[in-house]
Amino acid sequence: MRKIGICALLFSVLCSCFSCTHPVKEREPNCSDNQKEIQSVRKDTFPYPKIPAVIVDTREKKRYLLAHYWDEYTFPDATLVNKDITEQAFVNYIFLLGDESLTKQQKEESLQSFCIKFIGQKSLIQERFMNMFDNYLYNSNSPYYNEELYAVYLRCMLQTSIDEARKSTFQFLLSLINRNNPGEIATDFPYYLPNGKSQTLRSTLVNGNYLLLIFYDPECQNCHQIMQQMIQNRYLNSLSENGLLTVLAVYTEGNKDVWKQSLQEMPDSWIVGEDKQTIKDNALYDLKAMPSMYLLNKKKEVLLKDASYAQLMQVLQ
């Protein structure tokens, strides 16, 4: 996914720009070149809404901006939709949606209006915006990854005129997101050790106060790289070797030969198993990216869901 920069002072900059917007003077007979340049700039600039000068309260400005963010945008223009300015505007939008001073209702109303607008366009435009929602809010490697906001988006999409097949997909994703959230008991599942003996997550003994649950696939390049960092991490392995942390790594892809070949790389202090695709077949966990890591306490309650390697190490350290 292409990374697009965003300024931490986005809102203050946007507000100053909106409040200082001046109308373009009418074209004079000898200014045709200047007018063409102005039209070109307009075409390549996202049309942010102008915040009325009577609105001076910062919170009210945010609410107005969120409510009217896409009002001036030309949705039918497929050329505009495919330009970077649209993607940058989208990034700014989800950044604004993440503002904690905004209420849940305000976010839902804005998203509902936005979804209705782009779903009413051609399929190419629909796909463009839906892909951006997936890439930025649902991709765990995205700096804007936000399952809670993505769930709001899914609920809004279910209220639009999308086809039944797409609605079914969104409903499934919504149910998947609502599983194994922090504070909940992690869903139980069976797994099998290299000697063939079966275990379950619930019956797994936890040394120390934490259980690190890792779902992995050694054939995934990104997963392999992160797993190698974890395997070679002396601090992580010292916790496991000294009984302060239990690590359970479960292979979920169903290829027993691939799993057996990867066993020699795994630390002796880790519990390593394979689930014979039980988790994927029954959608017990949301395995949208590998490795998928959960930090549990001794009671098997979820502390971290789908954590990154950096987040995990920050908590453990």
Side-chain angles (χ1 to χ4, degrees):
M1 180 183 63
R2 183 167 58 248
K3 290 185 179 179
I4 296 181
I6 183 170
C7 176
L9 299 177
L10 167 68
F11 175 73
S12 61
V13 173
L14 290 181
C15 284
S16 63
C17 290
F18 300 154
S19 61
C20 296
T21 302
H22 298 287
V24 178
K25 292 182 180 180
E26 292 185 7
R27 180 169 61 92
E28 297 178 8
N30 60 346
C31 295
S32 58
D33 291 339
N34 290 339
Q35 184 66 14
K36 288 179 181 179
E37 184 177 348
I38 289 171
Q39 290 175 345
S40 176
V41 170
R42 278 179 166 179
K43 192 172 183 180
D44 292 326
T45 304
F46 183 79
Y48 290 103
K50 299 173 185 177
I51 299 178
V54 293
I55 301 178
V56 295
D57 182 74
T58 300
R59 286 177 296 181
E60 289 302 320
K61 286 182 178 181
K62 289 179 182 178
R63 292 170 186 170
Y64 184 93
L65 177 57
L66 189 64
H68 299 275
Y69 194 90
W70 299 97
D71 284 4
E72 304 299 322
Y73 183 80
T74 309
F75 281 92
D77 188 347
T79 304
L80 182 63
V81 168
N82 287 320
K83 287 187 176 182
D84 285 346
I85 57 170
T86 293
E87 189 162 357
Q88 182 63 69
F90 179 85
V91 172
N92 294 349
Y93 177 62
I94 61 174
F95 179 81
L96 179 62
L97 281 170
D99 192 309
E100 294 182 358
S101 68
L102 296 165
T103 67
K104 182 179 178 181
Q105 182 179 353
Q106 288 165 348
K107 296 177 182 182
E108 288 182 349
E109 288 176 352
S110 178
L111 273 171
Q112 186 69 61
S113 174
F114 178 37
C115 291
I116 290 173
K117 285 179 179 178
F118 77 74
I119 283 300
Q121 309 303 320
K122 297 178 181 178
S123 59
L124 175 68
I125 296 173
Q126 293 179 17
E127 292 296 329
R128 173 68 165 149
F129 282 108
M130 286 191 287
N131 286 339
M132 285 194 287
F133 271 109
D134 293 344
N135 290 336
Y136 282 99
L137 293 182
Y138 193 50
N139 182 344
S140 56
N141 294 318
S142 165
Y144 303 99
Y145 173 61
N146 188 327
E147 270 198 351
E148 183 179 352
L149 198 53
Y150 187 74
V152 175
Y153 154 72
L154 291 177
R155 288 194 292 270
C156 288
M157 288 295 286
L158 289 171
Q159 302 302 315
T160 67
S161 59
I162 54 172
D163 59 81
E164 290 303 315
R166 185 80 72 173
K167 280 189 178 181
S168 178
T169 299
F170 286 167
Q171 191 65 62
F172 171 76
L173 286 173
L174 193 56
S175 65
L176 202 55
I177 287 173
N178 289 331
R179 298 178 185 177
N180 303 300
N181 287 313
E184 299 177 353
I185 299 293
T187 302
D188 195 26
F189 61 87
Y191 63 91
Y192 303 85
L193 300 170
N195 60 12
K197 291 184 178 180
S198 64
Q199 276 270 50
T200 66
L201 174 64
R202 190 161 298 167
S203 66
T204 301
L205 296 177
V206 178
N207 294 322
N209 294 319
Y210 301 105
L211 169 64
L212 173 56
L213 175 59
I214 309 170
F215 300 113
Y216 76 101
D217 175 14
E219 290 191 306
C220 160
Q221 184 176 0
N222 179 65
C223 180
H224 181 73
Q225 291 175 349
I226 296 176
M227 288 295 290
Q228 285 302 307
Q229 292 180 55
M230 299 181 70
I231 290 169
Q232 296 168 18
N233 188 306
R234 293 181 180 179
Y235 178 74
L236 183 62
N237 285 304
S238 69
L239 292 178
S240 178
E241 291 166 0
N242 294 319
L244 300 175
L245 171 72
T246 300
V247 180
L248 171 59
V250 180
Y251 173 69
T252 60
E253 303 308 297
N255 190 327
K256 200 166 186 177
D257 292 335
V258 169
W259 176 59
K260 285 186 174 181
Q261 290 173 10
S262 70
L263 289 176
Q264 58 186 357
E265 300 179 350
M266 309 301 272
D268 294 336
S269 59
W270 291 17
I271 302 171
V272 184
E274 60 113 2
D275 73 333
K276 298 183 179 180
Q277 282 193 263
T278 300
I279 293 171
K280 291 183 70 175
D281 289 346
N282 295 281
L284 301 181
Y285 286 77
D286 187 1
L287 305 181
K288 56 180 171 290
M290 290 290 193
S292 184
M293 296 183 283
Y294 291 72
L295 186 63
L296 315 180
N297 63 16
K298 208 161 189 173
K299 297 178 181 179
K300 311 293 170 54
E301 294 172 336
V302 178
L303 303 177
L304 291 178
K305 176 185 179 180
D306 204 11
S308 68
Y309 177 49
Q311 289 174 324
L312 175 68
M313 293 311 301
Q314 184 178 17
V315 170
L316 292 178
Q317 289 174 345

